[in-house]
Amino acid sequence: MRKKIFVFLLVAFILMFALLIVTSARKAKTPTISVCVSDSWWGSSRDPDLQAAVIREMEKKIGIKIKAIIPPNSQYKQKVGLLLNSGDKPDVFRAFQAMNFVPSYAAQGHIIPLDDYIKKSPLASAVDPKVYDYIKIGGKTYFIPFNKPTTKFLWLRKDKADKFGVKLSSTPTTEEFYREMKKMTSDKNTIPFCFPKFIDNFQFFYNSFGVYANIYPKAGKYVDGFNTPEAKEALLYIKKLYDEGIWDKVFITNENNKMRENLFKGIAACDIDYYNRYSYYIDNSSKANAETDFLPLYKLVGPRGEGGNLNEAIQDAWVITNTCKNPDAAFKFIEQETFNPQIRQVTAIGVKGLHYAPDDKGYAQPRDVAKATGYSMNPQFLFASFPDFSDKGFKWDPKILKSLPRQIQIAKETLNHVGPCYAAPAGRSDKYDQVVLSLKQKREETASKIVLGSASVEQAFSDYANYWKSIDGDKILVELNR
Amino acid sequence: MKKINNKIKNSFGRKVFVVFNGILLFCICLVFIVPLWNVLITSVAKDQDVLGNVYLIVPKSFSLKQYSRILQSGYFKSFVRSIIIATIGTMFSMTITLPAGYTLAQKNLVGRNLFMNLIIITMIFDVGLVPFYVVVRMYGLINTYFALVIPVGLSTFNLILIKNFISSIPDSLIESARIDGANELIILIKIIIPVSIPIIAAITLFYFIQYWNRYIEVVMFIHDNTKTTLQVLLRTLMFESESATTGAESVYDNFKMAIMVMGMLPVLVLYPFIQRYFISGIMLGSIKG
């Protein structure tokens, strides 16, 4: 009897031991990576339970365990900066304003080059090489673009245009824009042109005057594109719009959402925004009882025939940090999120049945729990993302469906008016890497002083020239051109 | 019997003064009341009544939809977390601030000035967020609630107020307790605390408000958003439509105002009960340097 019990216990022990080994082996096979993205991303809902559902869905589909770091969108850049500088780096994070920050992160050694991974990946290498060319640091690629290259242009409310007799083509000249928009200044309740506080959006107007307000390669040599007669001409044009009441007088305090609200509520007649905002404006103007059509003005053609939309190129990008212990898994995560339609759909609009569910007629509608934290079923991701979403597994609401063909047309047309865009030439000059952000700040300060009238063009540019001398700007150019 | 006239004879000038004084004080009251009134009625207004650049003074509609939306967004969970953190944090802070204040109030403490100077230095020089984060991380507190309590447990300002108040307590009171055989702990508990109730109430409120409103430390030290506090949730809701890429639902003013009401509600409820200590406590603490 004792022998039987002993054998039974031995077998049970061996079985449990084997089970333990198998379980731990399975666990060991599932790599874990830490991912830092702001709270607006994880299925577009801020609800922690819904975000957890998105993470579970991704883990299941990609086969990687995700340790999520989810800061609020408004503090995201500060949090990333803190994590990088404190050495507590996540394995993967989404770099905002990639054109400026990816070169900076690379120059500081925070992120690793991904060329080898891109070469090996059929999905990542299928992307148009021009996309990667936007940001090359020492000939290497350190990022995977989060979305397709993105552009901004002007959106004009049709009801306001009709009311004031504003007649503008989709590519008017700067003079036409000034003359026609001036007609709206007689109405004290309308802001003819609403603009956000972000001065780097001035580049849309600079394009019309052949200006690229940064250090950029011109005829093979790096030059300062800001301190030029053309830039002064462009700023005087903006100042004219501002002084004569066309440009929003309080633009310097406008957040993007304030500007958008002004437009879809009908407080403003025109604004500057992303190419894929058509459905958004149609939907929100309807909700605000101010429904109208929205006309795109892709570019303003300047006095010398130049112009183009505001090319933000790579707005956000995925990057892998130099402390990542499993870059293969990190790249797999990025690759699947960016190029796999099933996964991108989950991260863009959430999980079916949790974030959204079909109504009686079978149209997908957001659920109340998701709506409470700002979720809306928005088709923007269809245009912005790389994959083709032919099999979405749901039907759009008829209102959205109605606006989609026009949005598709606009998304195609904007590609015919793409403005210039150059990445910051990081990693070539230590001095430049140190001053790149303060130089940007100085340019924006100079531009805003001129437009707001706190300094004349001469004074502001003289101040800029002094600053340029103080940072040894000419030496920076020599180093960059070496 | 002749009646005594107790009324002060009002001259014309005094009457004019009283009228103008009343008008002035009424206007000053309005400056504070009107924005609060606007916040309240905007928070219960319907969407169509807050569109455009309107400033509501007269209620146009009544709807609790925005409050219901906030309650659906995980408000209660965040609220409970905030209450727990603020309560435990306040208790922890008081537990270290009071003995520290009592110790520094001892006139015969060796190196008292040095300690005080070292403490005051932290009010003037801020180490910055990165070194702060590194220290918190070294102690393994990142992504734990301890990170929101321990590193910020002692406020120099509050410590100085308490120390000053205790210094103003007559030495004879403490001496007599010592003669009766009381040790320092007994003196603190049985003598100092009972006579320091006003300052303790004020500092408790200070600490509670500090913990309640804490934002940047929560964002920086907590990675997991199931652990964030009410202030982070409310700010997130307020700015949710700011994201450029997601095209989140737009936030109207009624929702923003409802968020404000929900955010200030607990402190608003607490404040009237201890406000009398609030003012007197600060005045008492500021008498002696």
Side-chain angles (χ1 to χ4, degrees):
Chain A
M1 187 64 187
R2 273 188 183 176
K3 203 177 171 184
K4 276 183 184 173
I5 291 169
F6 176 75
V7 171
F8 175 76
L9 285 174
L10 189 70
V11 170
F13 177 77
I14 291 167
L15 280 173
M16 278 177 67
F17 190 67
L19 196 71
L20 201 71
I21 289 172
V22 169
T23 317
S24 55
R26 271 190 190 164
K27 270 187 186 169
K29 270 184 190 170
T30 310
T32 302
I33 56 163
S34 55
V35 179
C36 181
V37 189
S38 73
D39 62 354
S40 62
W41 179 68
W42 309 85
S44 300
S45 166
R46 262 89 169 182
D47 185 282
D49 295 336
L50 292 178
Q51 290 177 339
V54 168
I55 293 168
R56 280 196 302 273
E57 196 75 7
M58 289 173 78
E59 286 177 338
K60 199 168 74 186
K61 286 183 171 158
I62 306 176
I64 288 172
K65 190 145 180 55
I66 296 164
K67 203 173 135 195
I69 300 171
I70 312 179
N73 201 48
S74 55
Q75 299 291 328
Y76 182 68
K77 271 189 271 181
Q78 290 90 324
K79 175 95 177 192
V80 166
L82 179 68
L83 294 176
L84 295 179
N85 292 319
S86 67
D88 194 14
K89 300 176 191 180
D91 294 325
V92 173
F93 71 95
R94 180 174 161 183
F96 279 8
Q97 295 178 348
M99 300 295 287
N100 288 321
F101 282 95
V102 169
S104 169
Y105 295 145
Q108 291 169 50
H110 289 311
I111 55 176
I112 59 169
L114 303 177
D115 300 83
D116 292 342
Y117 294 100
I118 293 169
K119 265 182 215 162
K120 281 184 215 160
S121 160
L123 292 169
S125 57
V127 172
D128 184 349
K130 279 182 195 165
V131 172
Y132 295 118
D133 288 343
Y134 274 119
I135 316 172
K136 287 273 184 195
I137 302 113
K140 290 179 181 170
T141 306
Y142 284 76
F143 72 101
I144 295 291
F146 188 78
N147 279 323
K148 288 176 188 168
T150 187
T151 57
K152 275 182 177 178
F153 48 72
L154 310 186
W155 291 96
L156 176 66
R157 284 183 69 98
K158 190 173 181 305
D159 58 351
K160 293 281 181 189
D162 291 344
K163 184 180 170 188
F164 294 98
V166 171
K167 289 186 178 66
L168 288 170
S169 73
S170 60
T171 56
T173 63
T174 43
E175 261 325 289
E176 283 167 352
F177 182 74
Y178 163 74
R179 191 185 63 224
E180 294 298 311
M181 296 299 282
K182 180 83 180 155
K183 291 175 183 171
M184 295 185 193
T185 53
S186 56
D187 181 8
K188 296 288 172 223
N189 295 320
T190 300
I191 302 165
F193 178 52
C194 195
F195 199 81
K197 66 181 183 183
F198 307 105
I199 306 291
D200 44 6
N201 287 352
F202 277 14
Q203 185 59 48
F204 178 85
F205 292 88
Y206 294 155
N207 289 343
S208 308
F209 294 84
V211 176
Y212 192 76
N214 202 339
I215 291 179
Y216 77 107
K218 186 181 181 185
K221 278 190 112 182
Y222 279 102
V223 294
D224 176 20
F226 186 61
N227 196 355
T228 61
E230 291 83 7
K232 290 169 190 170
E233 191 185 1
L235 283 166
L236 283 172
Y237 175 74
I238 297 172
K239 184 170 167 53
K240 186 166 78 168
L241 297 178
Y242 181 80
D243 288 347
E244 298 196 18
I246 296 169
W247 196 286
D248 188 1
K249 285 284 178 194
V250 294
F251 83 95
I252 207 73
T253 59
N254 281 345
E255 294 290 344
N256 273 326
N257 61 347
K258 181 71 187 164
M259 176 193 74
R260 286 175 188 134
E261 270 177 47
N262 282 346
L263 188 70
F264 69 66
K265 287 175 182 173
I267 297 165
C270 184
D271 77 354
I272 183 166
D273 211 340
Y274 291 100
Y275 73 98
N276 56 357
R277 283 270 166 184
Y278 181 74
S279 298
Y280 168 87
Y281 280 129
I282 292 286
D283 185 33
N284 279 287
S285 66
S286 164
K287 285 177 186 164
N289 295 329
E291 194 169 2
T292 186
D293 196 12
F294 291 83
L295 310 171
L297 308 181
Y298 299 107
K299 65 180 175 187
L300 301 182
V301 180
R304 291 173 290 279
E306 290 157 308
N309 57 27
L310 175 58
N311 181 5
E312 288 196 348
I314 313 300
Q315 195 199 19
D316 297 343
W318 287 114
V319 289
I320 300 176
T321 56
N322 62 337
T323 52
C324 175
K325 287 186 181 132
N326 194 342
D328 290 342
F331 190 82
K332 188 183 171 192
F333 166 84
I334 293 175
E335 182 193 43
Q336 291 298 305
E337 199 289 320
T338 312
F339 302 110
N340 183 334
Q342 285 184 329
I343 294 166
R344 173 49 69 98
Q345 188 169 313
V346 168
T347 56
I349 55 165
V351 182
K352 193 176 177 180
L354 293 175
H355 290 73
Y356 59 93
D359 62 12
D360 301 342
K361 291 172 187 166
Y363 299 118
Q365 300 294 350
R367 293 185 67 229
D368 285 348
V369 64
K371 269 166 80 177
T373 50
Y375 173 85
S376 71
M377 282 207 73
N378 201 293
Q380 284 178 57
F381 76 98
L382 297 178
F383 308 98
S385 310
F386 283 102
D388 172 39
F389 297 91
S390 47
D391 180 24
K392 293 182 291 298
F394 67 86
K395 282 196 288 185
W396 286 110
D397 185 277
K399 271 186 193 169
I400 293 175
L401 268 180
K402 200 177 155 191
S403 66
L404 276 182
R406 176 74 173 130
Q407 176 66 83
I408 292 167
Q409 191 193 4
I410 290 169
K412 278 184 187 164
E413 182 58 26
T414 190
L415 296 175
N416 296 326
H417 308 284
V418 177
C421 186
Y422 306 95
R428 291 175 178 223
S429 156
D430 289 343
K431 181 80 180 164
Y432 176 74
D433 292 341
Q434 282 165 18
V435 300
V436 61
L437 292 177
S438 61
L439 183 59
K440 179 177 184 284
Q441 212 173 352
K442 188 69 192 174
R443 274 196 305 267
E444 292 180 355
E445 184 194 310
T446 306
S448 57
K449 270 185 182 173
I450 291 169
V451 173
L452 295 172
S454 57
S456 67
V457 175
E458 291 74 25
Q459 283 168 340
F461 271 93
S462 156
D463 190 25
Y464 177 79
N466 287 338
Y467 173 76
W468 181 259
K469 268 185 204 163
S470 75
I471 60 166
D472 225 347
D474 290 339
K475 198 179 166 195
I476 287 174
L477 290 181
V478 171
E479 284 177 7
L480 291 175
N481 287 315
R482 198 176 288 156
Chain B
M1 204 174 122
K2 200 180 175 185
K3 263 190 173 179
I4 300 166
N5 187 3
N6 283 331
K7 282 184 185 172
I8 297 167
K9 198 181 174 188
N10 281 344
S11 65
F12 178 74
R14 181 165 172 80
K15 280 177 189 167
V16 171
F17 169 77
V18 169
V19 169
F20 274 97
N21 199 25
I23 292 169
L24 181 71
L25 290 175
F26 178 73
C27 291
I28 292 171
C29 283
L30 280 184
V31 168
F32 294 96
I33 292 167
V34 168
L36 282 173
W37 172 246
N38 170 260
V39 166
L40 198 66
I41 60 166
T42 308
S43 73
V44 293
K46 289 182 177 169
D47 285 350
Q48 61 265 30
D49 294 325
V50 296
L51 294 174
N53 286 327
V54 291
Y55 192 88
L56 289 180
I57 295 292
V58 181
K60 283 188 175 176
S61 51
F62 183 81
S63 163
L64 293 175
K65 192 180 147 197
Q66 307 310 325
Y67 287 94
S68 139
R69 187 176 161 190
I70 294 171
L71 295 179
Q72 278 185 322
S73 64
Y75 178 88
F76 271 122
K77 284 182 190 168
S78 305
F79 179 83
V80 170
R81 276 196 292 272
S82 281
I83 286 282
I84 292 171
I85 291 167
T87 308
I88 293 176
T90 305
M91 284 161 64
F92 173 74
S93 294
M94 289 308 293
T95 309
I96 55 173
T97 309
L98 259 174
Y102 175 61
T103 309
L104 289 168
Q106 302 303 310
K107 291 180 182 73
N108 53 355
L109 177 71
V110 179
R112 186 171 96 133
N113 288 340
L114 176 71
F115 286 131
M116 271 317 291
N117 287 336
L118 287 174
I119 288 164
I120 289 166
I121 279 173
T122 63
M123 281 178 92
I124 301 161
F125 297 104
D126 187 351
V127 289
L129 204 52
V130 174
F132 191 18
Y133 183 91
V134 171
V135 171
V136 174
R137 189 176 151 226
M138 268 168 55
Y139 287 104
L141 302 178
I142 292 297
N143 209 25
T144 68
Y145 294 124
F146 294 113
L148 308 180
V149 174
I150 295 172
V152 288
L154 187 82
S155 154
T156 314
F157 177 71
N158 292 345
L159 175 66
I160 291 170
L161 284 180
I162 288 228
K163 178 241 163 200
N164 286 352
F165 182 85
I166 296 173
S167 297
S168 70
I169 296 172
D171 291 343
S172 53
L173 203 63
I174 298 165
E175 287 300 319
S176 60
R178 281 207 183 104
I179 291 164
D180 289 344
N183 62 25
E184 297 302 323
L185 188 65
I186 298 290
I187 293 171
L188 177 66
I189 294 169
K190 296 210 167 171
I191 307 289
I192 302 296
I193 292 178
V195 297
S196 310
I197 293 298
I199 191 88
I200 290 172
I203 300 295
T204 303
L205 186 65
F206 270 157
Y207 271 128
F208 188 86
I209 292 170
Q210 278 172 21
Y211 281 107
W212 183 259
N213 288 336
R214 206 165 287 287
Y215 176 77
I216 203 75
E217 286 85 357
V218 185
V219 171
M220 297 303 162
F221 298 155
I222 300 293
H223 294 339
D224 182 351
N225 67 344
T226 58
K227 291 180 181 170
T228 54
T229 55
L230 186 64
Q231 301 305 333
V232 177
L233 174 85
L234 296 179
R235 194 181 146 93
T236 298
L237 292 174
M238 183 94 89
F239 291 98
E240 66 193 16
S241 63
E242 186 50 27
S243 169
T245 48
T246 59
E249 193 78 351
S250 278
V251 174
Y252 292 157
D253 285 351
N254 48 0
F255 188 54
K256 290 179 186 172
M257 298 305 180
I259 288 170
M260 280 189 209
V261 173
M262 295 297 260
M264 63 185 176
L265 206 59
V267 177
L268 217 59
V269 169
L270 193 68
Y271 191 78
F273 296 103
I274 42 178
Q275 67 160 337
R276 64 195 175 99
Y277 296 117
F278 197 68
I279 306 300
S280 62
I282 303 310
M283 295 301 290
L284 288 167
S286 61
I287 291 168
K288 196 170 174 182

